[in-house]
Amino acid sequence: MRSMSMIKLVASDLDGTLLLNGAQSLPEELFPLIRELKENKILFVAASGRQYPNMRRLFAPVLDDMAFICENGAMAVQNEEVLYQDRFDPALTREIAEAIYETEGAEFSCATKDFYYIMPKTQHFLELMTEVVKTDSRVIDSFDKITEPCMKLAVYEKDGIQEESIRYWQERFSGRCTVVTSGFAWVDFIPLGTNKARGLEVYQKRLGILPEECVVFGDEYNDIEMLKATPYSFAMEHAKPGVKKAASYTTKRVETVLEELIRTKGNIEEAMKRVQ
């Protein structure tokens, strides 16, 4: 029988988890919940495949009350301090970027600490990155312009990533990097050993928090390691079967669980009585 755990950290994915149905702005009710979690000595961590500047904008009202795991675990930031940052070998960065660019119907982004390199083949992708998702992006016209260290690459396919496409990228680059789906239209390439669970572990060590004192939320395969890293993990109800299998519980909305954690002041057993 598990002893009573008081939750000290909550980590949540964004797209498909806090950002539902393609939303590009967070629900306003989330911000007071993050502040209340802090008042109850529970750290809220946004854990996403997104870049840090984009995440900063999304969480602007509560930046001082939370922390970040960015680029699928390739970087962690709290109060503007970069706790760690992974990077690809430059030759592999270029090889992946060129392979994506040469593939019909595929677009690439290359993540550095402060911006994305993109070389859009379509106006749609340029507008998606700069006007819809609102990333900080630098448009280049040559692969020679990729000079900053890259910590994540991504392939985008407008009509959605198909199973055969996922297999192709995994077969081509697995062994040299981790290749995971990251939403309906994206596949991410990240350095071997990099995932959101690594970022979670950094905060656990930094703050002296145990795995059983954490609650995590996710909906995609890039969340699986994080979902497996704590006994209190929630997959979204719409998540794929493999993602649900990695989690202990499911939920329709993250906010429902956060509200119960606040009500019970972090007592997860009491909170679970209301959310199950």
Side-chain angles (χ1 to χ4, degrees):
M1 186 175 175
R2 198 184 285 151
S3 59
M4 185 180 75
S5 296
M6 299 300 289
I7 298 305
K8 297 177 181 177
L9 183 149
V10 172
S12 179
D13 172 54
L14 297 188
D15 293 279
T17 304
L18 281 171
L19 294 168
L20 297 174
N21 303 313
Q24 294 299 327
S25 59
L26 292 162
E28 286 295 322
E29 64 264 31
L30 179 65
F31 301 133
L33 292 177
I34 290 173
R35 296 187 190 101
E36 288 185 69
L37 287 170
K38 183 182 179 182
E39 289 171 8
N40 283 281
K41 296 182 170 52
I42 301 171
L43 175 67
F44 180 85
V45 181
S48 175
R50 291 184 177 228
Q51 65 174 181
Y52 178 55
N54 179 265
M55 293 172 74
R56 281 185 91 262
R57 279 193 292 275
L58 283 170
F59 287 94
V62 288
L63 285 178
D64 296 335
D65 303 311
M66 58 176 297
F68 297 89
I69 297 169
C70 318
E71 308 291 5
N72 279 331
M75 186 168 76
V77 185
Q78 185 176 20
N79 301 126
E80 298 300 319
E81 179 186 357
V82 177
L83 306 184
Y84 75 87
Q85 180 183 352
D86 288 342
R87 61 186 60 192
F88 272 107
D89 174 78
L92 182 56
T93 295
R94 180 160 182 156
E95 184 181 347
I96 295 171
E98 288 182 343
I100 297 170
Y101 191 78
E102 291 164 2
T103 300
E104 186 177 353
E107 301 265 14
F108 83 87
S109 65
C110 174
T112 72
K113 175 179 174 289
D114 296 313
F115 61 87
Y116 285 161
Y117 288 112
I118 57 173
M119 197 154 64
K121 294 188 277 186
T122 63
Q123 186 67 20
H124 162 77
F125 185 64
L126 176 62
E127 291 176 357
L128 174 73
M129 294 296 286
T130 59
E131 298 178 24
V132 179
V133 184
K134 293 183 171 64
T135 61
D136 285 14
S137 293
R138 183 173 295 180
V139 177
I140 57 173
D141 57 9
S142 165
F143 295 105
D144 292 334
K145 301 284 181 65
I146 301 176
T147 56
E148 292 294 312
C150 175
M151 55 183 158
K152 187 194 78 176
L153 290 104
V155 55
Y156 169 81
E157 295 182 9
K158 180 181 178 181
D159 296 326
I161 296 289
Q162 303 300 312
E163 288 297 327
E164 58 266 28
S165 182
I166 297 166
R167 281 196 299 273
Y168 171 76
W169 295 116
Q170 288 178 335
E171 289 170 3
R172 182 159 182 180
F173 290 106
S174 284
R176 290 189 287 164
C177 64
T178 299
V179 183
V180 289
T181 55
S182 183
F184 170 73
W186 297 88
V187 170
D188 286 352
F189 304 77
I190 49 181
L192 289 173
T194 294
N195 53 57
K196 294 181 184 181
R198 181 188 172 194
L200 187 65
E201 187 177 342
V202 166
Y203 287 111
Q204 288 169 345
K205 288 182 177 178
R206 181 178 170 91
L207 302 170
I209 296 172
L210 300 172
E212 58 268 28
E213 295 172 325
C214 301
V215 174
V216 301
F217 301 87
D219 77 307
E220 262 293 352
Y221 282 96
N222 61 338
D223 298 312
I224 281 183
E225 290 87 357
M226 182 172 72
L227 291 170
K228 289 181 175 178
T230 168
Y232 299 109
S233 57
F234 290 81
M236 303 305 288
E237 282 194 353
H238 61 262
K240 297 181 180 78
V243 180
K244 287 183 179 179
K245 186 177 179 181
S248 302
Y249 309 98
T250 60
T251 186
K252 284 184 179 178
R253 293 179 72 250
V254 173
E255 292 89 341
T256 303
V257 182
L258 300 187
E259 288 164 359
E260 288 305 315
L261 281 174
I262 291 164
R263 186 184 66 82
T264 62
K265 301 189 182 302
N267 185 323
I268 186 63
E269 278 78 12
E270 287 300 310
M272 291 303 297
K273 291 177 183 177
R274 295 278 291 270
V275 298
Q276 284 182 293

